[in-house]
């Protein structure tokens, strides 16, 4: 069994990006600039955005954090996005989700300039991804592809089962794993909360990508020997014995499933660190496209 070490690979990617930025600086070129918009004071969102800002500092990017109050109107948020779209200093930006109930998330995401949509959520970018065209791939799926590639996991002709159909992870992964090329060329089954006999399907899978958000959902008896397991789930589970009062748990019963798997991602330290690394990679790509 091989651990797919997202922490190590994400550090490698950040070092590669930092080297590219150093070349830009040496040539007196503008370095990439990533902006993040966060609405309200959700603890998890603030932590996540903070880690993105620190990652920018580490690789030499410029970064801007725009923190709007929980009570902000939809019109004010759309005006902020319009300003970012028109600001030539900004290469890419993200809108941290979820947004408060007074704001139409779809309308907000549609307002983002696709050429600055480094999250890859705009329908134009999603459509290009589905058509195998060059575009921004959502950061978490992009990170999963990078892990599979760097650990030379064979995907051709394999049966991939994706658990969860979110627009951020599940659905993009089902498209990307079936595309021509590598990683890809696998036969994909997309499962979700209404799928019947899910264990019957997962036991046939060569590769399982679980993005359900249900702690320890995938048990050892649901997995065949030598399967590749990608755990995207990340849930805080209360644990009074832990100093923090909780533990971070994935969708996979790691202790038991890891005994049967050929490759597996840990939680934490698997897919999570890759997401920020690939957001940086998308921002670098955005800068190169704007320069061109």
């Amino acid at each position: 069994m091989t651990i797919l070490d997202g922490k190590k690979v994400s550090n490698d990617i950040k070092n590669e990006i930092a080297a590219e930025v150093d070349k830009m600086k040496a040539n007196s070129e503008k370095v990439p600039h990533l902006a993040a918009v966060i609405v309200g004071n959700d603890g998890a969102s603030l932590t996540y955005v903070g880690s993105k800002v620190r990652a920018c500092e580490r690789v030499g990017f410029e970064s801007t954090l725009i923190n709007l109050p929980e009570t902000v109107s939809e019109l004010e948020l759309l005006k902020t996005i319009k300003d970012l779209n028109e600001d030539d200093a900004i290469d890419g930006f993200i809108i941290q989700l979820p947004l408060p109930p007074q704001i139409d998330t779809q309308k907000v995401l549609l307002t983002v300039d696709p050429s600055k949509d480094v999250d890859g959520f705009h329908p134009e970018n999603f459509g290009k991804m589905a058509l195998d065209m060059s575009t921004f791939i959502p950061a978490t799926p992009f990170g999963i592809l990078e892990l599979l590639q760097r650990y030379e996991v064979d995907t051709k002709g394999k049966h991939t089962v994706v658990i969860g159909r979110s627009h951020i992870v599940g659905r993009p992964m089902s498209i990307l794993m079936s595309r021509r090329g590598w990683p890809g060329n696998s036969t994909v089954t997309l499962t979700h909360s209404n799928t019947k006999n899910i264990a019957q399907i997962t036991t046939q899978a060569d590769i399982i990508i679980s993005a359900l958000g249900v702690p320890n959902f995938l048990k050892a008896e649901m997995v065949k020997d030598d399967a590749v397991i990608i755990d995207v789930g990340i849930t805080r589970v209360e644990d009074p014995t832990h100093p923090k009062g909780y533990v971070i748990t994935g969708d996979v019963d790691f202790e038991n499933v890891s005994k049967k798997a050929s490759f597996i991602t840990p939680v934490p330290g698997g897919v999570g660190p890759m997401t920020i690394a690939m957001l940086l990679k998308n921002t670098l790509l955005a800068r190169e496209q704007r320069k061109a």
Side-chain angles (χ1 to χ4, degrees):
M1 185 270 295
T2 301
I3 294 282
L4 297 171
D5 189 343
K7 202 169 179 184
K8 180 197 175 295
V9 174
S10 71
N11 279 327
D12 292 344
I13 292 166
K14 285 173 189 171
N15 289 339
E16 291 160 14
I17 293 170
E20 287 296 317
V21 173
D22 284 343
K23 283 183 201 168
M24 288 176 169
K25 287 177 178 173
N27 294 328
S28 301
E29 292 176 25
K30 179 188 178 302
V31 300
H33 189 155
L34 175 68
V37 180
I38 183 167
V39 179
N41 294 302
D42 177 72
S45 292
L46 285 167
T47 301
Y48 190 46
V49 170
S51 60
K52 289 172 182 174
V53 170
R54 286 192 299 277
C56 284
E57 287 171 6
R58 176 176 161 190
V59 299
F61 284 9
E62 290 179 19
S63 67
T64 299
L65 178 58
I66 300 166
N67 199 335
L68 300 172
E70 183 82 21
T71 53
V72 73
S73 70
E74 184 175 279
L75 199 63
E76 287 173 279
L77 179 55
L78 293 175
K79 169 74 169 65
T80 300
I81 293 168
K82 185 173 180 289
D83 291 344
L84 289 168
N85 284 341
E86 294 171 357
D87 187 346
D88 280 340
I90 305 290
D91 296 298
F93 66 94
I94 59 158
I95 313 296
Q96 185 64 36
L97 303 178
L99 293 169
Q102 75 271 19
I103 292 169
D104 181 341
T105 299
Q106 285 295 352
K107 189 191 282 189
V108 165
L109 295 180
L110 279 167
T111 308
V112 176
D113 179 347
S115 73
K116 294 189 176 189
D117 168 40
V118 289
D119 259 336
F121 293 163
H122 193 284
E124 183 178 314
N125 289 327
F126 199 97
K128 282 182 175 178
M129 178 195 69
L131 293 168
D132 258 353
M133 295 167 71
S134 177
T135 190
F136 298 119
I137 296 172
T140 301
F142 197 8
I144 293 167
L145 294 180
E146 196 75 15
L147 274 178
L148 293 171
Q149 200 164 22
R150 295 204 181 208
Y151 279 90
E152 299 181 353
V153 176
D154 186 18
T155 61
K156 186 178 179 181
K158 303 295 184 183
H159 181 197
T160 296
V161 171
V162 179
I163 306 174
R165 55 181 166 183
S166 75
H167 295 162
I168 295 172
V169 183
R171 198 162 297 180
M173 280 317 307
S174 70
I175 294 166
L176 293 163
M177 291 300 287
S178 64
R179 68 180 181 169
R180 287 191 181 91
W182 175 68
N185 274 323
S186 65
T187 302
V188 179
T189 303
L190 179 62
T191 66
H192 45 78
S193 55
N194 288 304
T195 303
K196 292 178 180 175
N197 304 322
I198 197 163
Q200 197 177 332
I201 297 167
T202 56
T203 50
Q204 297 169 26
D206 303 303
I207 301 167
I208 299 173
I209 301 167
S210 186
L212 198 61
V214 178
N216 297 314
F217 172 81
L218 193 73
K219 307 290 186 190
E221 59 269 21
M222 298 168 71
V223 174
K224 73 176 184 180
D225 287 340
D226 294 327
V228 176
I229 309 294
I230 307 290
D231 188 353
V232 189
I234 183 158
T235 309
R236 284 187 180 190
V237 177
E238 284 185 26
D239 182 355
T241 65
H242 196 274
K244 288 183 177 176
Y246 66 87
V247 288
I248 299 293
T249 307
D251 287 357
V252 178
D253 175 6
F254 183 88
E255 189 180 344
N256 295 305
V257 172
S258 60
K259 293 168 186 169
K260 297 177 81 173
S262 56
F263 294 88
I264 190 167
T265 59
V267 176
V271 174
M274 293 299 296
T275 299
I276 291 177
M278 303 321 283
L279 180 69
L280 297 174
K281 197 157 186 175
N282 273 345
T283 306
L284 180 65
L285 179 65
R287 170 86 292 265
E288 287 167 352
Q289 287 175 353
R290 291 177 70 74
K291 184 174 72 175

